[in-house]
Each structure stands twice: as structure tokens, then as C-alpha cells.
Amino acid sequence: MEAQPTAAHAIETVFRLESPRVVAGVARIVRDIGIAEELAQDALVAALERWPRDGVPDNPGAWLMATARHRAVDLVRRRETYARKLAEIGRNLPDAAPPPEPAHPDDIDDDLLRLVFTTCHPVLSREARIALTLRLLGGLTTAEIARAHLVPEPTIAQRIVRAKRALATRNVAFEVPYGPDREARLGSVLDVIYLIFNEGYAATAGDDLLRPGLCEDALRLARLLSGLMPKEPEVHGLTALLEFQASRTAARTAPDGTAVLLKDQNRRRWNRMLIARGIRALARADATATGAPGPYALQAAIAACHAHAYSYAETDWRTIATLYALLAARAPSPVVELNRAVAVSMAEGPAEALELVDALAAEPALRDYHLLPSVRADLLSRLGRTAEARTEFERAASLTRNERERALLLRRAAEAG
């Protein structure tokens, strides 16, 4: 009787972690992202039928991939319209690897990177690109994406369906493009890699604060892009930012899984190798820039200030506040202004920062953003306005969908009381 819940939990966990690779691997065969996602779901159904009975395989990710690939080949063989593709992949594909892509000096044999560039095709709107990529590569549910972007769930569902249909009807190639086509998609690709990393770094919902697998995938994709496009400063800027952020992962949670605030983190647990990689990537961003630094390079410079400080008290908050002001001018957003307010609070004091935060209260994009009342609560607490701080911490806890963050905010509310 105990095998059922154990197998079900394993299937859910493995599929959430492995579905991006399965979809990407199958899409390389069928050349249709919508069909690839359906075949990945078919593999999940097969796992639900067989694993509770036969046990979880030693390599569950490989089992899902093999099952989905076999079904992809069966589908290709059954459909006459895929005759050309069948000739390309060969009749013995169930026992062989997918065929190599056409040789090119800049080619990188990475299915996940192909999937990112495909879902970031210009035929899709920016909103559709983000929703589809978070669904396929981030493994987020439609509800999670809707909560993260503060839009109704049916809106996100429609975006994803229409995006897959558009890619299919326009016969968008499953590839990493070359030359101008690659450059045209680069901004969207960087954005979605950053969003995937953020979902791993601070999960939108669920019982865990972190989803390390997403962070690792995003960081690997950023490193691949750095090799693919060595003259693009923002590629290096994003890579540097992710290296710095990833360096703190081990210190962000306590042994019991509870969240640890930046000021309380044991910096000896920060990964010095990743910090060194971040410093080198940031130097490459500076060396390749021909004008003012871009948004990712600026965020990497902010992260570098934290990485260089041996303690929270030694952080160069004035420089961070200045960098946030530059970032707000280059890529204005309410979230950037909220982060700038935090830096101002450390550089100039909580009273000055509270004025900035209160000015953001009417921003529609922050209406349900839990970090707005969380930051405000922290400032009120530092000003000695503890009753107001407790109320704001409780409001922040009611807005977050992550159980670890909620527990932290409720604990801080109790401490303020």
C-alpha cells in the first residue's frame, strides 16, 4: 500500500524536473513543440501506470525520455505527412540517437538552447514568449505563471495555446538561428533565461524556497550563450549576474529548509568559485561594451558589490543605490524602484526609503506583490513603528504563494509584535 504514494511523489518530482529536457529532446524529432509536449505527457501517463506496479526505475529521467522518444518515432512513422522527416531520422531510430544537425561553425548541440530560441521567435508576442518558455522550460503550471505575472489564469492558458499554434502554423524551425536572426531574438532569450533562474532561486509557489534544477539549467544556458556570442556584453552581464546569485544558494536556507535573509546569511557558505566566475564574466561584459552598461550588466555590478563584502554591514550601499538609480533610468520598473528603496534605506536611512516605498503603493503591478508590504514592514520596524510593521508583515504573508516565504514573514510579524 505504501508503494502508491511513494511512486506518485517520485513521478511528480521527476516529471517537474525532467519535462523541459524531454520536451526539448522530442521536439528535435517531431519539430513541433505542441506535439512534443503532448508526447511528454504521454510518457508521464505511462509512468503513472507502470511505476507504482514495477517500481521507480534507477534513472527515471532517462526512462521518461526514452518512452517519449519511442512514441515520437511511432507518431512520425504513422503519419504520411512526416515522410520526409522519417527519411531523415532513419527507420532504426528507436535504438539510435537523433540525427545530427547540419554542421555550422557556431552550432551548439543543445536541445534546451534550441527550445529557448524557438519559443522566443518573433512571430510570438513578448508575453506569449515568456508564458510558453516558463511553461516548457520552467515547468511552471498555468496557475503559477498567472500568479507570477498578476494576470488571470485563462489569459495565460490562451497565450500558451495560441503560441504553440502560431509556431506550428508558421513552421518555425527548431534551431539556434545564425547571424541577424539570432541577434533579433537575443533580448527575449536573455529575459526568459533570467525568469527561469528566478523561478528556481525563489519559487513562486510550493513548499520549497528553491528549485535548484532550474537555476542550474538557466546558468548552463547562459554560459552556452557566452561561448556562442562572445561579443555581446549583455550575454556576459546576464551570465555574471546568475553566477553571483547562484553563489549564495547554499546560504539561503537553514538545515530545516526555512528561508535565511541576506543580512543573516553565513557568507562563508557562499561559493567562491562561482563568485570568481561572476567577476570574470562581468569583466568580459565591461570589455565588450561600446556604450553605457545594459540592464543585466548593471544588475551584475550590484550583485558584485554584495559578493565583495565580507559582511552585511560592510556592503557598499551607496554604490548599490547609485547603480539602482542607473538601472531605473535604463530599464524603469516599479520592482527596480522598490529595490532602490531598500538600498537607499541602508545608505541614507529608513525614513528616506519609506517615502520612496509609499510612492509605489498605487502602482497596479505591485498591488499583489508580496515584497512591497514586506519591504515597507521592515522599514516601519526599523523606525520603531512595530504595530504597523506587524500588520504589513501579515499582509505580505497573505500574498505570497510560497510556504517557506510565508513562514518567514509570519515569524517576522510575531517578532515585530
Side-chain angles (χ1 to χ4, degrees):
M1 296 296 291
E2 295 182 356
Q4 293 285 346
T6 301
H9 178 73
I11 294 166
E12 178 185 356
T13 302
V14 170
F15 190 75
R16 194 173 179 92
L17 292 173
E18 298 294 336
S19 61
R21 294 181 181 85
V22 175
V23 172
V26 174
R28 188 177 182 187
I29 299 172
V30 299
R31 304 287 168 167
D32 185 301
I33 287 175
I35 293 175
E37 188 177 20
E38 291 175 6
L39 291 170
Q41 292 289 339
D42 286 347
L44 172 62
V45 171
L48 288 168
E49 292 173 351
R50 295 182 56 180
W51 292 8
R53 183 188 68 224
D54 302 338
V56 178
D58 293 337
N59 191 336
W63 190 98
L64 287 170
M65 177 67 81
T67 301
R69 282 164 55 91
H70 290 168
R71 291 175 184 236
V73 174
D74 289 342
L75 178 64
V76 169
R77 285 179 166 169
R78 283 198 307 268
R79 296 188 176 183
E80 291 182 359
T81 55
Y82 285 109
R84 181 181 58 82
K85 293 184 176 67
L86 182 60
E88 292 175 358
I89 65 175
R91 296 186 178 274
N92 296 319
L93 187 56
D95 302 315
E101 295 296 310
H104 189 284
D106 290 336
D107 195 22
I108 286 185
D109 185 17
D110 188 276
D111 287 335
L112 283 177
L113 193 60
R114 286 186 179 90
L115 185 57
V116 173
F117 270 97
T118 302
T119 56
C120 289
H121 196 281
V123 299
L124 306 180
S125 68
R126 181 180 182 275
E127 293 78 10
R129 297 172 200 167
I130 290 172
L132 184 59
T133 308
L134 289 178
R135 179 75 183 90
L136 296 180
L137 278 99
L140 274 69
T141 65
T142 304
E144 289 171 340
I145 300 170
R147 283 196 296 266
H149 292 275
L150 309 178
V151 296
E153 186 175 340
T155 301
I156 294 296
Q158 289 175 0
R159 286 178 187 172
I160 293 172
V161 170
R162 290 171 181 168
K164 289 190 286 190
R165 185 184 302 133
L167 293 175
T169 56
R170 298 290 290 271
N171 293 318
V172 171
F174 184 69
E175 65 179 2
V176 177
Y178 305 114
D181 287 343
R182 180 184 295 171
E183 294 171 6
R185 299 188 213 177
L186 181 60
S188 291
V189 169
L190 296 180
D191 288 346
V192 297
I193 290 175
Y194 183 50
L195 287 170
I196 291 166
F197 182 90
N198 279 346
E199 179 58 29
Y201 194 70
T204 304
D207 297 330
D208 298 319
L209 180 68
L210 304 174
R211 295 176 60 188
L214 290 183
C215 292
E216 292 167 5
D217 279 343
L219 186 51
R220 185 177 60 80
L221 291 173
R223 290 170 179 167
L224 279 173
L225 275 182
S226 290
L228 194 63
M229 309 181 77
K231 296 182 180 179
E232 290 289 343
E234 276 292 80
V235 172
H236 298 304
L238 175 64
T239 304
L241 174 61
L242 302 193
E243 300 279 10
F244 286 132
Q245 297 289 77
S247 72
R248 307 179 202 163
T249 300
R252 294 189 65 239
T253 54
D256 63 356
T258 57
V260 180
L261 295 171
L262 178 64
K263 67 184 180 65
D264 298 323
Q265 288 176 16
N266 179 358
R267 299 194 175 205
R268 286 176 294 182
R269 298 190 68 197
W270 287 8
N271 189 314
R272 307 313 300 185
M273 181 188 73
L274 291 180
I275 289 174
R277 292 182 68 115
I279 291 170
R280 290 195 296 270
L282 185 56
R284 286 194 290 272
D286 292 338
T288 53
T290 57
Y296 288 117
L298 286 170
Q299 291 178 77
I302 292 168
C305 289
H306 291 292
H308 286 303
Y310 288 103
S311 68
Y312 190 75
E314 295 176 66
T315 307
D316 187 352
W317 290 106
R318 291 193 179 279
T319 296
I320 291 176
T322 300
L323 289 169
Y324 268 122
L326 292 173
L327 180 60
R330 185 69 187 270
S333 88
V335 174
V336 171
E337 288 294 344
L338 183 61
N339 287 329
R340 184 170 76 89
V342 173
V344 168
S345 77
M346 300 304 298
E348 302 177 21
E352 291 81 355
L354 186 59
E355 293 181 12
L356 298 175
V357 171
D358 286 343
L360 296 171
E363 285 286 346
L366 299 183
R367 185 179 296 115
D368 297 319
Y369 188 52
H370 70 283
L371 290 183
L372 177 62
S374 175
V375 169
R376 192 170 189 274
D378 184 70
L379 298 176
L380 290 168
S381 180
R382 289 165 59 188
L383 289 168
R385 296 160 60 177
T386 54
E388 295 172 83
R390 182 175 65 253
T391 300
E392 288 291 84
F393 276 129
E394 290 172 347
R395 186 162 78 91
S398 72
L399 292 174
T400 184
R401 297 296 182 269
N402 185 281
E403 295 302 325
R404 296 296 185 182
E405 282 190 314
R406 181 182 289 113
L408 172 64
L409 291 165
L410 290 175
R411 187 177 77 238
R412 297 197 71 191
E415 291 170 352

